[in-house]
């Protein structure tokens, strides 16, 4: 009769648990920063087009950034956040606005 053997008993190499544990997939906040030259309308447009906010949500976030200096446009996995930041920077450059967009871990 075939017996049951654990992997270690069969001489199969196993990794210590600490090496096999996966890092928690952290979420990243995409931040918009205030400046004196980017128009309110452009920031609202960015929030609707890139971050899929309603017009009301976009206006609320834009005004928060305008008054506080910085605000969260959205929270995403790293790759998505990076793509959004790049999209904002590309559109801002095209329209010649100095709008600053950054990301930081939550
Ligand atoms: N402060 C800008 C203005 O008065 C509006 C603005 C809001 C700019 C948010 C950037 O991230 C920003 N025209």
């Amino acid at each position: 009769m075939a017996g049951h053997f654990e992997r270690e008993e069969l001489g199969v190499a196993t990794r210590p648990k600490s090496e096999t544990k996966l890092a928690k997939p952290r979420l990243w906040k995409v931040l918009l920063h205030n400046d004196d030259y980017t128009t309110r309308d452009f920031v609202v447009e960015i929030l609707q087009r890139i971050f899929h906010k309603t017009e009301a949500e976009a206006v609320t976030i834009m005004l928060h950034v305008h008054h506080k200096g910085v605000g969260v446009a959205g929270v995403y996995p790293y790759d998505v956040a990076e793509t959004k930041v790049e999209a904002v920077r590309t559109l801002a450059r095209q329209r010649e606005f100095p709008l600053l967009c950054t990301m930081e871990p939550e």
Side-chain angles (χ1 to χ4, degrees):
M1 262 253 274
H4 172 76
F5 296 96
E6 298 297 338
R7 288 168 66 77
E8 286 85 349
E9 294 171 318
L10 293 167
V12 175
T14 58
R15 287 179 194 283
K17 272 236 167 81
S18 63
E19 276 182 48
T20 53
K21 269 184 188 159
L22 295 172
K24 280 209 188 84
R26 278 197 299 183
L27 293 177
W28 290 68
K29 295 187 283 194
V30 175
L31 305 174
L32 290 176
H33 300 258
N34 190 38
D35 68 75
D36 292 339
Y37 304 101
T38 304
T39 62
R40 294 176 179 219
D41 279 355
F42 179 70
V43 177
V44 170
E45 184 188 327
I46 285 287
L47 286 161
Q48 291 187 259
R49 279 178 62 177
I50 299 175
F51 298 95
H52 307 295
K53 303 300 181 186
T54 65
E55 183 174 8
E57 289 169 337
V59 169
T60 299
I61 294 168
M62 180 279 293
L63 286 174
H64 172 92
V65 175
H66 176 71
H67 288 116
K68 307 281 183 186
V70 64
V72 179
V75 178
Y76 309 95
Y78 184 86
D79 291 41
V80 179
E82 230 191 1
T83 302
K84 305 263 183 212
V85 168
E86 206 43 60
V88 172
R89 289 174 180 171
T90 297
L91 286 176
R93 201 180 310 121
Q94 278 173 10
R95 302 274 284 269
E96 300 188 301
F97 286 126
L99 178 62
L100 181 62
C101 183
T102 61
M103 57 194 268
E104 67 174 36
E106 212 179 34

